Amino acid sequence: RRQRQMCIRDRYGADALRFMLVTGNSPGNDTRYMDEKVKAARNFANKIWNATRFIQMNLSDEITKIEMPETLATEDKWVLTLYNDLVKEVTDNLEKFELGVASAKLYDFIWDILCDWYIELVKSRLQAGGETALNAQKVLVYVMANTLKLLHPFMPFITEEIWQALPHEGRYLISAKWPEYQDALHFPE
């Protein structure tokens, strides 16, 4: 059995295996191993990696730290509001030991909101250049870097590696300040 686990870890990665074990799990229930779930977790890790590579390829040298722009476009406000809600919900889920619920929310936000929608929405701004591109870059870095902090307990190796490649503050992600809900990032309109 141990040899099989090592093989799975070697084939898909430790983070994919960890994420699979947590996703869809509720306290008191056994987790059934399914190869498809480990593959899906590996694909999720690849999605994060590719999104970060896209962000890096579109960063100007002016972006050296995590900071918010002074002017926010509608899509910036939208993603920041959803990110802010995610911080509140994931923190609450972790405090209640609802690991499966927290991991599912992170998965949905990263895959659907950040990667499939927000990145696609800002591509034209990034290509346009100027202040609009710079603002989009700042929001991309802010949301990705802080979302990595939320994902770190579930996927520590890939999140640390990616965080080191992004503009950040501090030496290691594990010692970074946990994100907090901020009223200033709530845009109900």
Side-chain angles (χ1 to χ4, degrees):
R1 184 174 185 173
R2 178 141 172 83
Q3 189 176 24
R4 178 165 167 71
Q5 288 175 342
M6 291 178 74
C7 180
I8 294 165
R9 185 194 66 219
D10 292 342
R11 189 177 331 150
Y12 299 114
D15 281 343
L17 181 58
R18 286 170 58 107
F19 197 75
M20 183 279 303
L21 291 170
V22 163
T23 304
N25 193 11
S26 59
N29 290 333
D30 292 335
T31 300
R32 173 175 263 178
Y33 174 81
M34 294 190 319
D35 207 46
E36 297 80 28
K37 284 181 72 177
V38 183
K39 288 179 185 176
R42 180 204 53 203
N43 293 344
F44 177 56
N46 285 340
K47 183 84 164 181
I48 299 166
W49 194 265
N50 289 334
T52 305
R53 282 187 25 217
F54 174 80
I55 293 169
Q56 288 177 302
M57 290 182 344
N58 288 285
L59 278 185
S60 65
D61 294 336
E62 295 175 50
I63 309 292
T64 59
K65 61 183 178 178
I66 300 170
E67 62 181 330
M68 291 294 295
E70 291 181 23
T71 307
L72 296 170
T74 302
E75 61 268 21
D76 299 338
K77 292 177 181 179
W78 172 73
V79 77
L80 288 167
T81 297
L82 294 176
Y83 157 76
N84 202 30
D85 292 342
L86 179 74
V87 168
K88 185 177 185 179
E89 292 170 10
V90 167
T91 302
D92 185 52
N93 293 136
L94 291 177
E95 288 173 356
K96 294 177 182 176
F97 298 103
E98 298 170 339
L99 304 179
V101 175
S103 66
K105 288 177 181 177
L106 283 162
Y107 179 92
D108 290 342
F109 177 81
I110 292 169
W111 194 290
D112 296 334
I113 304 301
L114 183 58
C115 295
D116 287 353
W117 278 101
Y118 185 69
I119 287 177
E120 292 301 320
L121 287 170
V122 298
K123 281 183 177 177
S124 60
R125 288 172 56 197
L126 294 170
Q127 292 172 353
E131 186 178 341
T132 186
L134 193 60
N135 290 346
Q137 292 169 25
K138 287 180 179 181
V139 173
L140 278 168
V141 168
Y142 181 88
V143 172
M144 180 58 87
N146 284 301
T147 303
L148 290 173
K149 292 176 186 177
L150 297 172
L151 186 61
H152 189 67
F154 304 103
M155 302 178 92
F157 302 109
I158 191 171
T159 54
E160 183 71 54
E161 185 75 23
I162 291 172
W163 193 75
Q164 292 296 332
L166 289 172
H168 63 275
E169 297 154 2
R171 188 166 177 175
Y172 298 111
L173 177 57
I174 195 166
S175 60
K177 187 177 185 302
W178 186 258
E180 294 178 2
Y181 180 86
Q182 299 176 42
D183 289 330
L185 297 181
H186 182 70
F187 304 97
E189 65 280 355

